[in-house]
């Protein structure tokens, strides 16, 4: 992707991380399977696990296994951190997307349900650290997606008004959070989410490749 004679369509772009900028899907599914097998003796079907992606880890375990939530989270985090360098993958075109947006001075941030350390680790493994202005992580707000607070926090960190921001994500909770925040939303189809469900959730735009996302963000 090359600099274009276009100006950014939005003043600020906020990205989800898992399944949007970085391919962590296999890592997340395996981490859930390891934690559940180790602590409760059995995993869950992969479609159920993939539907949890985008939500805060502690909330998932608290709702599904309230009596074992703390042990499950600790087991997940320890295994996930150790396996991240082996299982995290990149999406073709995402680095070019971010570098192209930097060339037109786009303000960009990550808003994720991940903890800060895990988010920064994922960006580093994928070679994307240094391309993002801010990282808003689960520690930064007390409410989490699909509530609007994380996106509101991210926009404030970018110093860009909500109405001039767009949120890019691959999960229904991403679209719901953007709508709750009064922010435009773009759903990507290369992550964990089902394209039909993303459309039903009310995504303003649906894109199938980083190149298509680049064109949309540049107002083409």
């Amino acid at each position: 992707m090359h600099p274009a004679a276009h100006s950014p369509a939005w003043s600020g772009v906020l990205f989800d991380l898992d399944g949007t900028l970085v391919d962590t899907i296999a890592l997340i599914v395996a981490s859930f399977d390891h934690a559940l097998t180790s602590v409760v003796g059995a995993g869950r079907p992969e479609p159920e696990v993939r539907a949890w992606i985008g939500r805060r880890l502690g909330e998932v375990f608290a709702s599904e296994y309230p009596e074992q939530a703390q042990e499950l989270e600790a087991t997940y985090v320890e295994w996930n951190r150790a396996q991240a360098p082996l299982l995290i993958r990149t999406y073709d075109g995402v680095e070019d997307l971010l570098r192209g947006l930097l060339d037109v001075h786009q303000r960009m941030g990550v808003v994720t349900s991940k903890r800060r350390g895990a988010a920064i680790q994922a960006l580093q493994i994928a070679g994307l650290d240094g391309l993002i202005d801010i990282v808003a992580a689960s520690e930064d707000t007390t409410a989490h997606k699909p509530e609007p607070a994380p996106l509101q926090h991210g926009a404030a960190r970018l110093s860009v008004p909500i109405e001039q921001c767009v949120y890019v994500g691959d999960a229904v909770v991403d679209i719901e959070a953007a709508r709750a925040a009064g922010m435009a939303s773009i759903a990507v189809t290369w992550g964990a989410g089902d394209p039909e469900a993303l459309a039903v959730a009310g995504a303003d735009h649906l894109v199938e490749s980083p190149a298509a996302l680049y064109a949309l963000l540049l107002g083409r």
Side-chain angles (χ1 to χ4, degrees):
M1 297 175 191
H2 303 285
H6 292 257
S7 59
W10 289 274
S11 300
V13 180
L14 297 171
F15 294 97
D16 171 54
L17 182 62
D18 296 312
T20 301
L21 292 184
V22 181
D23 185 0
T24 55
I25 306 304
L27 173 64
I28 292 171
V29 171
S31 299
F32 272 119
D33 187 68
H34 171 79
L36 292 171
T37 302
S38 300
V39 177
V40 301
R44 295 275 286 272
E46 184 170 335
E48 290 183 19
V49 174
R50 289 173 72 96
W52 295 340
I53 296 174
R55 295 171 58 195
R56 187 168 168 268
L57 188 61
E59 291 179 355
V60 171
F61 286 135
S63 66
E64 300 290 331
Y65 301 93
E67 306 209 348
Q68 296 145 306
Q70 288 187 325
E71 184 181 1
L72 282 164
E73 184 171 3
T75 302
Y76 177 109
V77 168
E78 181 181 9
W79 195 86
N80 180 280
R81 185 180 295 122
Q83 298 299 317
L86 301 175
L87 294 179
I88 283 180
R89 300 287 182 264
T90 58
Y91 288 120
D92 289 342
V94 165
E95 182 177 349
D96 288 343
L97 162 72
L98 297 182
R99 291 191 182 280
L101 292 174
L102 280 178
D103 286 341
V104 296
H105 309 292
Q106 175 74 70
R107 293 281 290 158
M108 294 182 285
V110 165
V111 176
T112 178
S113 298
K114 258 182 163 38
R115 295 181 180 185
R116 184 176 310 284
I120 291 172
Q121 180 191 31
L123 288 168
Q124 290 173 338
I125 291 169
L128 304 179
D129 55 319
L131 303 180
I132 297 289
D133 295 309
I134 64 102
V135 175
S138 66
E139 298 96 321
D140 293 328
T141 57
T142 54
H144 305 282
K145 297 185 292 186
E147 296 298 318
L151 277 62
Q152 293 165 338
H153 174 76
R157 289 275 308 279
L158 278 185
S159 300
V160 176
I162 287 282
E163 61 273 14
Q164 294 175 24
C165 281
V166 62
Y167 191 53
V168 183
D170 70 312
V172 167
V173 291
D174 299 327
I175 307 309
E176 291 172 342
R179 291 184 66 187
M183 189 179 292
S185 62
I186 301 173
V188 303
T189 62
W190 57 79
D194 173 70
E196 185 175 340
L198 292 167
V200 170
D204 295 309
H205 305 275
L206 199 69
V207 297
E208 297 183 351
S209 70
L213 177 56
Y214 179 76
L216 178 60
L217 293 173
L218 266 290
R220 288 180 171 175

